[in-house]
Amino acid sequence: MNHFELTRLGLLMEPEPGNSHEVGGVLNPAAVRGPDGELYLFPRLVGKENYSRIGIARVQFDEAGDPCGVERLGVALEPEADYELQENGRGGCEDARITYVERFNRYLMTYTAFSRSGPRIALAVSEDLFHWKRLGLATFEPFRGTDFVGVANKDASLFPVAIPNHRGKLQLAMIHRPLFPGTLPEETDCDECARLVDLDHESIWISYCPMELDGLKPKHLGLFNSHHRLATPVEPWEALKIGGGTPPVMTRHGWMMLYHGVHAEEPSDASGKRLCYSAGVMILSKEHPRTILYRSAEPILTPIDPHERDGVVENVVFPTGIDCRTDIGQPDRFDIYYGMADSRIGVASMTVPQQLPTTTLPRVDAPNAIVPVVPLPAEATA
């Protein structure tokens, strides 16, 4: 086997009838093993008027070891802080990712806090997954003319260990995708055959938090003062936008993460173009995670199932949780938990190949360069 294989295992979680916390959907869960070895999901629970909480559920497995259901255990976070609240009683704690950070012997959660100012990245910490302490919003210093202050930001996740920054200093690192004005897929979609991508404003970034090697407490986290532009839209399936997905996990080849890409499907009728969210794989160097070793030329997961094509937002698969199946003696198997059409949660199983597939990595030039995105061929959008 010399390529990434992914098999859908099916629908895992959908809104519970009569549950007011879930009338707008359950989606985009974090996935993490607890101190007891059990697997827990932290899904976004959407109530009326898009009021979002982060729930907690224990995953159930069948005799073959495949995920087959969940046991709901309540709410981990709901909007309380000023940076999570909007006007008229609205608010949001959304799209969590959770990483067990070895240095702290703690779980760190990154999530989207949705306030009057729009979406921002917030952090919380826990020892047991059931009791969470907010650490506040992540803040970012400017970098080579790119100012992150006041910019919407989402889809953040942390590395589980300190990694070297551009100067080789070991620091806590975050994957994130700032949403600069004009870079939403609804804004980048156009009728031109090809477009130019602003690398600084349309990329996934790695940002680094200064930290001492000993004695740092999680409460001191939050300031990210050095940055590296990691990846930008290149392939047709990600032509309009790319963004973070699952947190980075170590594999035989290096750090692996799934990420999402967006393109526009050509309409089959007079309804107009529809956005399509798919998922790909990225492998980063173990020693130097700023270096991409592999990146999907084609998506490994696209919305083809009815649960993925019909929902609150059509045509969406959105990976956010990942679980290495060492518990059943399969270290190259990773279960992927993903949002389906912003309404439900699905799960798929992916096998990491013995060798990385041969690929031509996209070439990105100087920091302020722009690159063309190749348009989708007509047959790919039929």
Side-chain angles (χ1 to χ4, degrees), residues 177 179 182-190 240-241 262-264 275 277:
R177 202 298 196 178
L179 297 172
T183 67
L184 292 174
E186 295 83 359
E187 297 169 319
T188 56
D189 187 15
C190 60
L240 299 182
K241 177 182 177 287
V262 187
H263 74 270
L275 297 180
Y277 282 70

Short mmCIF file of all heavy atoms in Angstrom, two decimals, residues 177 179 182-190 240-241 262-264 275 277:
data_model
loop_
_atom_site.label_atom_id
_atom_site.label_comp_id
_atom_site.label_asym_id
_atom_site.label_seq_id
_atom_site.Cartn_x
_atom_site.Cartn_y
_atom_site.Cartn_z
N ARG A 177 -5.91 29.56 11.09
CA ARG A 177 -6.17 30.16 9.78
C ARG A 177 -6.89 31.49 9.99
O ARG A 177 -8.12 31.53 10.14
CB ARG A 177 -7.02 29.21 8.93
CG ARG A 177 -6.95 29.42 7.42
CD ARG A 177 -7.44 30.77 6.94
NE ARG A 177 -7.71 30.79 5.50
CZ ARG A 177 -8.18 31.83 4.86
NH1 ARG A 177 -8.42 32.96 5.50
NH2 ARG A 177 -8.42 31.77 3.56
N LEU A 179 -8.86 34.83 9.26
CA LEU A 179 -9.85 35.13 8.22
C LEU A 179 -9.77 36.63 7.89
O LEU A 179 -10.63 37.42 8.30
CB LEU A 179 -11.25 34.75 8.70
CG LEU A 179 -11.46 33.25 8.97
CD1 LEU A 179 -12.81 33.01 9.64
CD2 LEU A 179 -11.35 32.45 7.69
N GLY A 182 -12.06 39.70 3.00
CA GLY A 182 -12.00 39.34 1.60
C GLY A 182 -11.53 37.93 1.32
O GLY A 182 -11.39 37.55 0.15
N THR A 183 -11.29 37.11 2.37
CA THR A 183 -10.74 35.77 2.15
C THR A 183 -11.72 34.65 2.48
O THR A 183 -11.34 33.48 2.46
CB THR A 183 -9.45 35.56 2.97
OG1 THR A 183 -9.76 35.54 4.37
CG2 THR A 183 -8.44 36.66 2.69
N LEU A 184 -12.97 34.97 2.79
CA LEU A 184 -13.96 33.92 2.95
C LEU A 184 -14.24 33.29 1.58
O LEU A 184 -14.14 33.97 0.55
CB LEU A 184 -15.25 34.48 3.54
CG LEU A 184 -15.19 34.96 4.99
CD1 LEU A 184 -16.50 35.63 5.38
CD2 LEU A 184 -14.88 33.81 5.93
N PRO A 185 -14.60 32.01 1.53
CA PRO A 185 -14.84 31.38 0.22
C PRO A 185 -15.94 32.05 -0.57
O PRO A 185 -15.89 32.08 -1.80
CB PRO A 185 -15.18 29.93 0.58
CG PRO A 185 -15.51 29.93 2.03
CD PRO A 185 -14.73 31.05 2.63
N GLU A 186 -16.93 32.62 0.12
CA GLU A 186 -17.97 33.35 -0.60
C GLU A 186 -17.42 34.60 -1.27
O GLU A 186 -17.99 35.09 -2.26
CB GLU A 186 -19.09 33.75 0.37
CG GLU A 186 -19.86 32.59 0.98
CD GLU A 186 -19.16 31.98 2.19
OE1 GLU A 186 -18.05 32.45 2.56
OE2 GLU A 186 -19.72 31.04 2.77
N GLU A 187 -16.28 35.10 -0.75
CA GLU A 187 -15.67 36.31 -1.30
C GLU A 187 -14.62 35.99 -2.36
O GLU A 187 -14.42 36.77 -3.30
CB GLU A 187 -15.04 37.13 -0.17
CG GLU A 187 -16.06 37.61 0.86
CD GLU A 187 -15.40 38.18 2.11
OE1 GLU A 187 -14.40 37.59 2.58
OE2 GLU A 187 -15.88 39.21 2.61
N THR A 188 -13.92 34.86 -2.20
CA THR A 188 -12.88 34.51 -3.17
C THR A 188 -13.46 33.84 -4.41
O THR A 188 -12.78 33.74 -5.44
CB THR A 188 -11.83 33.58 -2.53
OG1 THR A 188 -12.48 32.42 -2.00
CG2 THR A 188 -11.09 34.29 -1.42
N ASP A 189 -14.70 33.34 -4.32
CA ASP A 189 -15.34 32.75 -5.49
C ASP A 189 -15.60 33.83 -6.53
O ASP A 189 -16.08 34.92 -6.21
CB ASP A 189 -16.65 32.08 -5.08
CG ASP A 189 -17.28 31.29 -6.21
OD1 ASP A 189 -16.57 31.01 -7.20
OD2 ASP A 189 -18.47 30.95 -6.11
N CYS A 190 -15.27 33.54 -7.77
CA CYS A 190 -15.47 34.52 -8.83
C CYS A 190 -15.68 33.77 -10.14
O CYS A 190 -15.52 32.55 -10.22
CB CYS A 190 -14.29 35.48 -8.94
SG CYS A 190 -12.72 34.67 -9.30
N LEU A 240 -10.68 27.91 -3.23
CA LEU A 240 -11.25 29.10 -2.61
C LEU A 240 -10.77 29.34 -1.19
O LEU A 240 -10.78 30.47 -0.71
CB LEU A 240 -12.77 29.03 -2.62
CG LEU A 240 -13.43 28.94 -4.00
CD1 LEU A 240 -14.94 28.93 -3.86
CD2 LEU A 240 -12.98 30.08 -4.90
N LYS A 241 -10.37 28.27 -0.50
CA LYS A 241 -9.94 28.44 0.90
C LYS A 241 -9.37 27.13 1.41
O LYS A 241 -9.83 26.05 1.04
CB LYS A 241 -11.12 28.84 1.79
CG LYS A 241 -10.82 28.97 3.28
CD LYS A 241 -12.07 29.34 4.06
CE LYS A 241 -11.82 29.39 5.57
NZ LYS A 241 -11.66 28.04 6.15
N VAL A 262 -11.89 24.26 0.14
CA VAL A 262 -13.20 24.65 -0.40
C VAL A 262 -13.05 25.00 -1.88
O VAL A 262 -12.11 25.69 -2.28
CB VAL A 262 -13.77 25.88 0.35
CG1 VAL A 262 -15.20 26.17 -0.12
CG2 VAL A 262 -13.73 25.66 1.86
N HIS A 263 -13.98 24.48 -2.67
CA HIS A 263 -14.08 24.92 -4.07
C HIS A 263 -15.56 25.10 -4.40
O HIS A 263 -16.44 24.75 -3.60
CB HIS A 263 -13.42 23.92 -5.03
CG HIS A 263 -14.19 22.65 -5.23
ND1 HIS A 263 -14.01 21.53 -4.44
CD2 HIS A 263 -15.15 22.31 -6.13
CE1 HIS A 263 -14.81 20.56 -4.84
NE2 HIS A 263 -15.53 21.01 -5.86
N ALA A 264 -15.83 25.67 -5.55
CA ALA A 264 -17.21 25.90 -5.99
C ALA A 264 -17.60 24.84 -7.02
O ALA A 264 -16.88 24.62 -7.99
CB ALA A 264 -17.36 27.29 -6.58
N LEU A 275 -20.80 25.91 -2.74
CA LEU A 275 -19.49 25.64 -2.16
C LEU A 275 -19.41 24.19 -1.72
O LEU A 275 -20.39 23.61 -1.25
CB LEU A 275 -19.24 26.56 -0.97
CG LEU A 275 -19.20 28.06 -1.27
CD1 LEU A 275 -18.94 28.84 0.01
CD2 LEU A 275 -18.15 28.39 -2.32
N TYR A 277 -16.97 21.62 0.66
CA TYR A 277 -15.90 21.46 1.63
C TYR A 277 -15.42 20.01 1.61
O TYR A 277 -16.20 19.09 1.85
CB TYR A 277 -16.39 21.79 3.04
CG TYR A 277 -16.50 23.27 3.35
CD1 TYR A 277 -17.48 24.06 2.75
CD2 TYR A 277 -15.64 23.87 4.25
CE1 TYR A 277 -17.60 25.41 3.04
CE2 TYR A 277 -15.74 25.23 4.55
CZ TYR A 277 -16.72 25.98 3.94
OH TYR A 277 -16.82 27.32 4.24
#
